[in-house]
Amino acid sequence: MPPAIACDSCSNPKLTASHSHRPRHAKKPPIIPPPIVVPPLIPPPATCSLDILKLGLCLDVLGALVHVGLAKPVEDVCCPVLEGLLELEAALCMCSAIKLKVLNLDIYIPLALQVLVSCGKDPPAGYLCPLN
């Protein structure tokens, strides 16, 4: 018990100055965790990082498939060129190459997307080639 100084005129002792108003157990402030920061979504590539001319032979094989119905297996020609690209980028490159060669989009796009799937590059569901 802290030392007390008795007062002549009162019956209640007072604590000395060194011990007055000092809480016995101080509460620690609550620990607030830092806010969770979610990194922003990275937009898909807007351009093809591949030299689109490299896809020319692939498109020629697709053209032979469209016009003649016979062609060297498309996967043998196209897949090595698309290797290392992400699915969405591979689809964008294929679309860009088709537009560059001014080929009929309605005929070539479904074939090109099927080639991508055959090469293990599954574009997002409902993917459409950009119009620009």
Side-chain angles (χ1 to χ4, degrees):
M1 206 156 167
I5 302 174
C7 154
D8 292 336
S9 62
C10 64
S11 61
N12 294 332
K14 294 183 181 177
L15 294 176
T16 60
S18 65
H19 296 294
S20 63
H21 307 327
R22 189 186 220 180
R24 287 184 176 235
H25 298 288
K27 289 186 178 180
K28 294 181 181 179
I31 298 173
I32 300 172
I36 297 173
V37 179
V38 177
L41 293 175
I42 299 172
T47 59
C48 175
S49 65
L50 180 70
D51 179 4
I52 295 176
L53 296 177
K54 290 182 179 180
L55 282 172
L57 184 57
C58 175
L59 294 179
D60 290 342
V61 172
L62 276 179
L65 187 65
V66 168
H67 297 292
V68 180
L70 300 171
K72 182 179 178 184
V74 178
E75 294 85 5
D76 293 346
V77 176
C78 299
C79 294
V81 177
L82 298 170
E83 189 175 317
L85 297 177
L86 299 174
E87 285 83 359
L88 191 56
E89 188 177 15
L92 182 66
C93 288
M94 191 68 88
C95 291
S96 299
I98 290 170
K99 288 177 188 176
L100 184 67
K101 288 193 106 178
V102 193
L103 299 173
N104 185 335
L105 295 177
D106 293 334
I107 294 172
Y108 281 87
I109 296 296
L111 286 173
L113 295 179
Q114 183 57 46
V115 168
L116 292 174
V117 171
S118 298
C119 293
K121 308 287 182 187
D122 196 13
Y127 177 79
L128 299 173
C129 286
L131 297 174
N132 53 0

